[in-house]
Every structure is written in structure tokens, then in C-alpha cells.
């Protein structure tokens, strides 16, 4: 452990601090990198299949391999905000979190949140912990994207709907956290 000394000129001086350490020695719970994205435009669908919304994180370059042991990490993913709506149609919308590793195709990771019945206005509120052990190693690039589905099809559901003065953008955040 290094020592932090206050020098005679009133400035903090660091001595014996090893800046060459690696992230595997970071305390458990330390956020070591993050990525995020936001969406400022409307997005709706009537599809009964999952559709990419365009709400996607910037690339996150992993510092550690995924896992649950010491010296590994996991990624916490959060989606929140925005304005969900079904335009008064009796509809069910389902949102999902998808992941792409090293530019490969997006694959489903987890159900996120859902709503049923028309005329609602409320934000997204979902999260997941990505602990897939063999999927990612240090140096891999990962991105997360939200998908939406109009369950049963034919009804319009809005993943995000701009309504004058009552809605902000939805956000997606991914944080790599040391185990």
C-alpha cells in the first residue's frame, strides 16, 4: 500500500504507489469500465417478433474475463426512462436485452420488462447481471441493445414515444464490475 503525504508546499505528493497493477486486484464491486446509449426519437412496432429498437450501448472493452471467481468480472446492464405507450390499444409489449460480442450478431440475453393494456405512459425499468462465464474475455468488445415485441402482433406498441413535455429519452448503461 502506498503512502499519501502532504508536501511542504501544500500540494499532495504520492510516494510508493504502484500504478502498474492490474484490474484483477481491484476491490470487489469496483466499476472498472462502462458504456451507455440513449434514444431521442420515437420507436414503435406491430411485430410479434423481437425487433431491434436502436437503443444500444457504445462499445465496452472488457478489462477482465467474465466469471464469478476472484480476478473476474460481470456486467450489470440497466435500461430506464423513456415513455412506453400503446396508443390506447389493448396490447402487450415485451422488451428484451440482447448482446453482441466482438461485432458478432446480437443474441438474446434476458427478458427485461413488459406492459399490458392501452393508454399507459410509463418509463422502462429493467436490469440484468451478465455472468456468462465462457462468453467474454479481457479485451473483448461487447454491446447491448434493447429489443421490443408486440405480443400477439397487430397492435402498435411504442418502445419510446415522444409526448410533448412529459417524456425524456430512454437510456441503456452497461458497467463492468469486479467480483
Amino acid at each position: 500500500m502506498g503512502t499519501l503525504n502532504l508536501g511542504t508546499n501544500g500540494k499532495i505528493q504520492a510516494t510508493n504507489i504502484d500504478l502498474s497493477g492490474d484490474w484483477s486486484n481491484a476491490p470487489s464491486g469496483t466499476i472498472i469500465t462502462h458504456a451507455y446509449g440513449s434514444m431521442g426519437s420515437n420507436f414503435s412496432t406491430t411485430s410479434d417478433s423481437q425487433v431491434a429498437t436502436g437503443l444500444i450501448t457504445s462499445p465496452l472493452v472488457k478489462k477482465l474475463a467474465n466469471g464469478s471467481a476472484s480476478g473476474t468480472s460481470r456486467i450489470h446492464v440497466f435500461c430506464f426512462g423513456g415513455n412506453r405507450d400503446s396508443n390506447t390499444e389493448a396490447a402487450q409489449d415485451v422488451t428484451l436485452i440482447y448482446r453482441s460480442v466482438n461485432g458478432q450478431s446480437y443474441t438474446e440475453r434476458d427478458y427485461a420488462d413488459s406492459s399490458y393494456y392501452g393508454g399507459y405512459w410509463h418509463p422502462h425499468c429493467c436490469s440484468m447481471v451478465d455472468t456468462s462465464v465462457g462468453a467474454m474475455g479481457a479485451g473483448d468488445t461487447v454491446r447491448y441493445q434493447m429489443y421490443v415485441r408486440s405480443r400477439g402482433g397487430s397492435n402498435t406498441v411504442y418502445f419510446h414515444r415522444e409526448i410533448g413535455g412529459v417524456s425524456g429519452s430512454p437510456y441503456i448503461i452497461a458497467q463492468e464490475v469486479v467480483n
Side-chain angles (χ1 to χ4, degrees):
M1 183 68 74
T3 304
L4 192 61
N5 298 310
L6 202 54
T8 55
N9 59 4
K11 294 182 180 178
I12 295 174
Q13 298 174 346
T15 58
N16 301 322
I17 295 177
D18 181 6
L19 299 176
S20 65
D22 63 49
W23 287 113
S24 63
N25 295 323
S28 180
T30 302
I31 298 170
I32 57 177
T33 189
H34 78 282
Y36 69 94
S38 67
M39 173 185 239
S41 59
N42 289 339
F43 186 87
S44 65
T45 187
T46 58
S47 177
D48 194 13
S49 298
Q50 286 92 320
V51 178
T53 64
L55 178 57
I56 184 172
T57 64
S58 54
L60 181 148
V61 179
K62 298 262 302 144
K63 305 290 186 199
L64 297 173
N66 260 25
S68 58
S70 177
T72 63
S73 68
R74 60 201 176 275
I75 298 178
H76 295 194
V77 182
F78 307 93
C79 176
F80 56 92
N83 185 22
R84 302 167 75 166
D85 187 20
S86 69
N87 197 23
T88 69
E89 295 183 33
Q92 181 181 9
D93 77 276
V94 177
T95 59
L96 305 100
I97 300 172
Y98 274 57
R99 178 186 74 196
S100 169
V101 179
N102 295 324
Q104 300 297 313
S105 297
Y106 282 88
T107 57
E108 182 182 329
R109 290 298 305 138
D110 206 355
Y111 271 86
D113 54 13
S114 62
S115 284
Y116 179 69
Y117 202 72
Y120 52 79
W121 288 0
H122 60 88
H124 290 278
C125 181
C126 60
S127 60
M128 70 164 277
V129 178
D130 196 347
T131 59
S132 51
V133 175
M136 293 178 279
D140 284 346
T141 299
V142 61
R143 294 182 85 169
Y144 292 88
Q145 181 169 199
M146 298 304 298
Y147 279 61
V148 67
R149 169 185 174 197
S150 175
R151 188 155 187 178
S154 76
N155 291 311
T156 303
V157 296
Y158 285 84
F159 175 82
H160 178 56
R161 186 170 190 203
E162 289 285 337
I163 297 181
V166 297
S167 64
S169 299
Y171 290 88
I172 186 170
I173 297 174
Q175 300 172 327
E176 184 177 6
V177 180
V178 175
N179 284 320

